[in-house]
Amino acid sequence: MTILSADYIYTPDGFVKEQAIAFTQTIKAIDTLETLQEKYPDAEVIFTEKNSVIYPGFINTHVHLEFSANKTSLKYGSFMPWLDTVIEHREDLVGSCNNEMMMNECNEMLHSGITTFGAISSFGNELEVCEKAPQRVVFFNELIGSNAQYADMLYGDFLERVKASQSCESSSFITPAVAIHSPYSVHPIILQKAVNVAKQNSLPLSAHFLESQAERQWLEEGEGELKGFFEKYFNTSKPVTNINEFMYAFNAYPTHFTHAAQATKEELAHLADKGHSIAHCPRSNRYLGCGRLSIETLHDLNMPYSVATDGLSSNDSLNIFDELRAAVMLHYQTPVLELSNRLIRSVTSDAAEILGLNCGSIEVGKVADFAVVTLREEPKREEEIALWTVLHTKVCSQVYIHGEKYV
Ligand code: BEZ
Ligand code: FE2
């Protein structure tokens, strides 16, 4: 048994003062240090620095580790020029991204307090790293392929990758999962088969959706910048689906839709009504010129969302605090205290619920994943703790996963 004590603990009832947590691999009790020491006299007691806050470990629901090598290869500013450079540099980038590089990024995430991440995997290359990384990993095997001629082959390869991730489930912190690349890049027939695989095996399901204006125009009109792309690389000039057909394919199974920056209120309302959630990647959306997700619409709809980094293919770091600060800046309309609290929820309890994991919350029975943030001085007003956490933190002072201390 270990007891971790701090000035503040972030709990489902808000920030509680001068309490401690007793835990093994899971949380056993939350009470004053004296009470816990009486109850567990043999426990090791760990103190945190003054002005520390214990948070549940943070959850980054959407990251592409395979693209960790990108620094200046991909063109930022607008979605289509970016996608063109992804095609141009994909082999080099994926080829030069070795296990050491991906593990360094897992460490970067770890130091920012990320104890769980959702790895979107196009090729399965990062499975070994995800098995070795200390974090819990939801391993999203991605399905891609709009061309009916190759669809069966690509679907077969996808199934093999799902199986490979299922086979390491028992020996590591890996949860196998399914990702659909996007409405424009996946043929509806294999899309429906993959959704059924997720549903029948109760696997988390995710899909990029309405990331850019170009995607919206292509799906609505069969026109715009994506038309040239499909003519050039796929010898076709017609989209394989439309917005409603794609959305409705997920009606029967809750899905984590990434971006939705170009979704209308009505589309978001439909998604909320079907029990879906959104992965919001503010820096990625900004860097690729994709516009701003209407986070206030999600708040109005009471729709769950996570804040996620996306990959280094469209970002400059995998640090969750960098991402949260970007969200604060992007959503200037939302009052800053309310937004900071909402953002902390988006990377803890809401993210855990979305991924179906028993973490993300400091409650008895939850797994002992913690991220300790040490504030620069005493918070003068308790209602500002979330804001100071987001604005002042680069790295966590301590990090625990499954009861084990990693930082
Ligand atoms: C496709 O298979 O349609 C596709 C693959 C990569 C990017 C875009 C589309
Ligand atoms: Fe992504």
Side-chain angles (χ1 to χ4, degrees):
M1 187 74 66
T2 307
I3 297 174
L4 183 63
S5 151
D7 286 353
Y8 296 94
I9 301 175
Y10 175 79
T11 75
D13 302 323
F15 292 93
V16 297
K17 216 174 166 177
E18 285 155 14
Q19 300 262 302
I21 307 168
F23 61 93
T24 53
Q25 291 173 343
T26 57
I27 298 172
K28 301 297 178 197
I30 302 154
D31 214 318
T32 61
L33 177 61
E34 296 70 38
T35 310
L36 292 181
Q37 278 184 304
E38 256 171 50
K39 199 168 170 186
Y40 306 106
D42 299 329
E44 178 196 2
V45 179
I46 301 179
F47 293 95
T48 55
E49 288 171 68
K50 199 168 156 37
N51 306 321
S52 289
V53 188
I54 309 175
Y55 286 95
F58 301 119
I59 302 164
N60 182 14
T61 64
H62 186 98
V63 55
H64 303 258
L65 283 177
E66 283 160 325
F67 285 97
S68 294
N70 177 57
K71 296 288 175 289
T72 58
S73 296
L74 302 181
K75 188 164 187 167
Y76 286 5
S78 181
F79 183 75
M80 265 331 289
W82 172 82
L83 189 58
D84 281 326
T85 55
V86 170
I87 301 292
E88 189 186 340
H89 295 289
R90 190 166 47 180
E91 272 183 33
D92 297 347
L93 285 175
V94 173
S96 61
C97 183
N98 57 24
N99 283 2
E100 188 189 349
M101 188 177 269
M102 291 191 274
M103 192 53 99
N104 283 343
E105 294 305 330
C106 294
N107 265 321
E108 159 93 13
M109 287 197 273
L110 182 71
H111 283 270
S112 81
I114 294 172
T115 56
T116 299
F117 61 84
I120 311 297
S121 171
S122 320
F123 309 105
N125 294 345
E126 67 280 75
L127 185 58
E128 195 184 329
V129 167
C130 291
E131 280 184 272
K132 288 186 181 144
Q135 285 105 334
R136 296 176 202 286
V137 181
V138 177
F139 198 83
F140 282 104
N141 297 283
E142 188 171 66
L143 176 64
I144 194 163
S146 61
N147 188 330
Q149 222 183 322
Y150 303 113
D152 283 342
M153 188 260 292
L154 291 164
Y155 183 73
D157 172 71
F158 155 80
L159 280 185
E160 288 304 311
R161 286 182 283 123
V162 172
K163 272 194 205 129
S165 65
Q166 280 173 319
S167 70
C168 51
E169 193 178 2
S170 55
S171 60
S172 63
F173 289 153
I174 290 198
T175 303
V178 171
I180 305 299
H181 180 261
S182 77
Y184 58 85
S185 62
V186 178
H187 195 280
I189 294 186
I190 55 172
L191 160 65
Q192 204 62 69
K193 282 172 59 166
V195 170
N196 290 341
V197 166
K199 189 170 179 218
Q200 280 155 13
N201 296 280
S202 303
L203 308 180
L205 177 60
S206 174
H208 293 113
F209 183 53
L210 291 178
E211 177 174 8
S212 65
Q213 187 52 40
E215 175 179 340
R216 179 154 204 113
Q217 197 188 357
W218 172 244
L219 296 173
E220 280 186 327
E221 305 163 17
E223 293 294 340
E225 290 174 297
L226 265 168
K227 191 179 172 121
F229 175 88
F230 275 98
E231 283 170 349
K232 181 172 169 192
Y233 293 110
F234 294 92
N235 200 22
T236 168
S237 52
K238 282 203 169 41
V240 287
T241 190
N242 59 52
I243 292 171
N244 283 343
E245 184 186 42
F246 184 79
M247 273 200 313
Y248 298 165
F250 298 85
N251 276 355
Y253 194 63
T255 304
H256 198 34
F257 286 100
T258 306
H259 302 309
Q262 292 297 330
T264 62
K265 261 189 185 154
E266 291 68 31
E267 286 152 359
L268 291 172
H270 172 84
L271 297 180
D273 184 53
K274 297 296 174 196
H276 301 308
S277 57
I278 303 293
H280 173 39
C281 306
R283 282 185 292 171
S284 173
N285 293 164
R286 176 69 183 96
Y287 296 162
L288 304 192
C290 289
R292 189 187 71 89
L293 169 73
S294 173
I295 209 174
E296 54 281 8
T297 302
L298 306 189
H299 295 161
D300 291 346
L301 291 166
N302 209 8
M303 185 175 191
Y305 66 89
S306 66
V307 169
T309 60
D310 215 338
L312 289 172
S313 32
S314 57
N315 214 337
D316 55 274
S317 84
L318 301 183
N319 182 311
I320 201 68
F321 292 108
D322 290 345
E323 204 63 52
L324 296 174
R325 275 189 291 280
V328 167
M329 298 308 154
L330 194 60
H331 302 292
Y332 60 87
Q333 302 92 330
T334 307
V336 79
L337 289 186
E338 177 194 321
L339 181 59
S340 308
N341 279 294
R342 204 57 199 67
L343 292 174
I344 294 285
R345 224 176 84 192
S346 79
V347 293
T348 55
S349 54
D350 283 3
E353 231 163 87
I354 288 166
L355 297 179
L357 301 173
N358 187 36
C359 56
S361 182
I362 300 186
E363 284 175 86
V364 172
K366 296 281 178 186
V367 293
D369 292 2
F370 307 120
V372 179
V373 166
T374 302
L375 298 173
R376 295 161 82 170
E377 58 177 38
E378 191 179 338
K380 304 294 183 294
R381 293 157 296 274
E382 243 169 67
E383 66 270 23
E384 293 169 3
I385 295 177
L387 177 66
W388 302 140
T389 297
V390 171
L391 297 193
H392 288 305
T393 314
K394 304 268 188 289
V395 290
C396 288
S397 46
Q398 296 183 30
V399 179
Y400 297 79
I401 301 170
H402 215 64
E404 201 170 314
K405 191 170 188 292
Y406 286 92
V407 173

